[in-house]
Amino acid sequence: ASYETILVETRGRVGLITLNRPQALNALNDAIFRDLAQALDAFAADDGIGAVVLTGSAKAFAAGADIKEMASKDFIAAYTGNLIENWTCISRFRKPIVAAVAGYALGGGCEIAMMCDFIIAADTAKFGQPEIKLGTIPGSGGTQRLTKLIGRSKAMDMVLTGRMMDAAEAERSGLVSRVVPADQLLDETLKAAETIAGYSLPITMLAKEAVHRADETSLAEGVLFERRLFHATFGTEDRREGMAAFTEKRPPAFKHR
Ligand code: HXC
C-alpha cells in the first residue's frame, strides 16, 4: 500500500509507522487517520508482526489535531460526522504498540501517544494539552487517560493552564516509561518493541488486554479478569514451552510469535 501522510516499514517482527506531515508538524488530519487505520489493519492481519512502534519527527511527534481542518466546523458537522471517532484505530489496536516521542506531543498528539501501550520519550519531548487556548477541550482522551496516568492534580494543571511538560517532568509524573537521549530514541524504542515481538503474540496480547482492563474496572473485578486470562495461558503451547525452557536452562522457542 502507498500512503500520503505516513511512512510504513517493517524491521524484523516490528512494524514502524512514522507520521509524515513535516509542513504541519504532523498535525493530525483525516488523511493521517485514513492512512493509520489502513496500516494498523495490515499489521494486525500480518502474522509476521509482533509489535508496532509509532513515531514522528525530531521536532514533532504531532502538534495536535489539524486546527485548520477543524476551524470551520460547527456543532452539527462535528456531531453528525462523529469528529475524532476515526482516531480510535489506535486504541482499538490489539497487538502491543509503543510510542516513540521526540519534540512536540500536544493536544491530539499527546492523546494518540497515550493511546499507545507506553511511551518512550526523547529528552527533547514536550507534552501538553493546549486545547483550552483554542477555546476547546481535549477530545480524544486527554482529560481521561492523562488523569489516570499522572493523577487529577497534575492533569488539571495541564488541561486548565495549557502549559507544556518537559520529558523529565513527564517521566517523574508517570506519563512516559523512560527518557532517552534524542539520537537514541528510535533505536531504544525499536529494541523494546523487538523484545516484545520475541515473546508469544497471543500472550503479549493477553497481557496488554489485562493491563488496559485496570482502567475500566474495580480492583476485585480486574484481578478476577487477570486471573482468568492467566488461567487461559495454561491452554497454550507457548506457556508450556516457556516453563519447560526455564527448567531445561535453554531459551524458549515460542511457536505463536
Ligand atoms: C494545523 C499546525 C498545527 C496544528 C502546527 N501547525 N501545529 N497546523 N494544526 N495543530 C503548522 C503551523 O500552522 C505552521 O504552518 C507549521 O505547522 C509550523 O508551525 P509553527 O507554529 O510555525 O512552528 P513553531 O513556531 O516552531 O511552533 C511550534 C508549536 C506551534 C508550538 C507546536 O505550532 C503550536 O502551538 N501549534 C499548535 C499546538 C496546538 O494548539 N495543538 C492542539 C491542537 S487542538 P504554516 O503553514 O503556518 O507555516 C487538538 C484538539 C484535540 O489537538 C482534540 C480532539 C482530539
Side-chain angles (χ1 to χ4, degrees), residues 170-192:
E171 185 179 32
R172 211 163 55 234
S173 311
L175 175 56
V176 309
S177 69
R178 3 177 170 160
V179 177
V180 299
D183 61 353
Q184 291 163 33
L185 175 68
L186 192 58
D187 279 354
E188 287 296 321
T189 311
L190 285 170
K191 218 185 289 171

Side-chain angles (χ1 to χ4, degrees), residues 66-96:
D66 191 314
I67 299 167
K68 293 163 191 170
E69 197 177 72
M70 286 187 298
S72 63
K73 288 191 197 293
D74 61 8
F75 166 75
I76 292 174
Y79 176 72
T80 59
N82 211 358
L83 183 62
I84 302 304
E85 168 58 26
N86 54 351
W87 292 37
T88 58
C89 62
I90 302 171
S91 50
R92 282 188 286 105
F93 187 67
R94 294 174 67 219
K95 292 179 181 178

Side-chain angles (χ1 to χ4, degrees), residues 96-110:
I97 177 167
V98 187
V101 174
Y104 297 112
L106 301 178
C110 186

Side-chain angles (χ1 to χ4, degrees), residues 4-5 11 31 54 58 70 84 92 133 162 178 180 204 220 224:
E4 197 190 316
T5 61
R11 305 277 181 95
L54 178 64
M70 286 187 298
I84 302 304
R92 282 188 286 105
K133 298 181 185 177
R178 3 177 170 160
V180 299
T204 59
L224 180 60

Side-chain angles (χ1 to χ4, degrees), residues 22-25 27 59 63-68 70 84 87 104 106-109 111 130-131 134 136-140 164:
Q23 72 285 3
L25 301 183
K59 181 163 183 198
D66 191 314
I67 299 167
K68 293 163 191 170
M70 286 187 298
I84 302 304
W87 292 37
Y104 297 112
L106 301 178
E111 291 174 307
E131 289 87 346
L134 300 168
T136 185
I137 71 168
S140 203
M164 290 187 209

Side-chain angles (χ1 to χ4, degrees), residues 38-49 93 95 201:
Q38 201 182 327
L40 288 171
D41 280 349
F43 284 146
D46 184 345
D47 289 340
I49 294 295
F93 187 67
K95 292 179 181 178
L201 177 62

Side-chain angles (χ1 to χ4, degrees), residues 3-239:
Y3 300 101
E4 197 190 316
T5 61
I6 60 176
L7 304 171
V8 179
E9 300 161 65
T10 59
R11 305 277 181 95
R13 291 185 46 79
V14 175
L16 173 61
I17 301 178
T18 306
L19 303 174
N20 188 36
R21 291 189 73 213
Q23 72 285 3
L25 301 183
N26 292 332
L28 303 164
N29 61 2
D30 278 341
I32 278 202
F33 284 99
R34 264 198 305 277
D35 284 350
L36 273 175
Q38 201 182 327
L40 288 171
D41 280 349
F43 284 146
D46 184 345
D47 289 340
I49 294 295
V52 170
V53 169
L54 178 64
T55 196
S57 70
K59 181 163 183 198
F61 176 74
D66 191 314
I67 299 167
K68 293 163 191 170
E69 197 177 72
M70 286 187 298
S72 63
K73 288 191 197 293
D74 61 8
F75 166 75
I76 292 174
Y79 176 72
T80 59
N82 211 358
L83 183 62
I84 302 304
E85 168 58 26
N86 54 351
W87 292 37
T88 58
C89 62
I90 302 171
S91 50
R92 282 188 286 105
F93 187 67
R94 294 174 67 219
K95 292 179 181 178
I97 177 167
V98 187
V101 174
Y104 297 112
L106 301 178
C110 186
E111 291 174 307
I112 64 167
M114 292 188 292
M115 288 179 195
C116 295
D117 298 319
F118 60 99
I119 302 172
I120 299 183
D123 49 15
T124 59
K126 285 190 184 311
F127 298 88
Q129 297 291 161
E131 289 87 346
I132 202 86
K133 298 181 185 177
L134 300 168
T136 185
I137 71 168
S140 203
T143 67
Q144 303 300 303
R145 291 192 182 89
L146 188 66
T147 306
K148 290 186 192 296
L149 284 164
I150 71 176
R152 178 156 71 94
S153 180
K154 251 186 197 293
M156 281 288 192
D157 179 355
M158 301 303 293
V159 168
L160 291 177
T161 69
R163 77 175 172 90
M164 290 187 209
M165 189 187 261
D166 66 16
E169 185 179 2
E171 185 179 32
R172 211 163 55 234
S173 311
L175 175 56
V176 309
S177 69
R178 3 177 170 160
V179 177
V180 299
D183 61 353
Q184 291 163 33
L185 175 68
L186 192 58
D187 279 354
E188 287 296 321
T189 311
L190 285 170
K191 218 185 289 171
E194 274 157 25
T195 298
I196 296 165
Y199 300 131
S200 171
L201 177 62
I203 305 299
T204 59
M205 289 174 68
L206 284 172
K208 164 176 175 155
E209 194 179 350
V211 174
H212 280 296
R213 192 67 169 221
D215 285 344
E216 311 284 353
T217 50
S218 68
L219 180 62
E221 286 297 321
V223 168
L224 180 60
F225 183 79
E226 175 194 76
R227 191 180 316 137
R228 293 299 177 240
L229 295 192
F230 168 71
H231 292 159
T233 67
F234 284 70
T236 69
E237 285 170 280
D238 282 343
R239 198 280 315 167

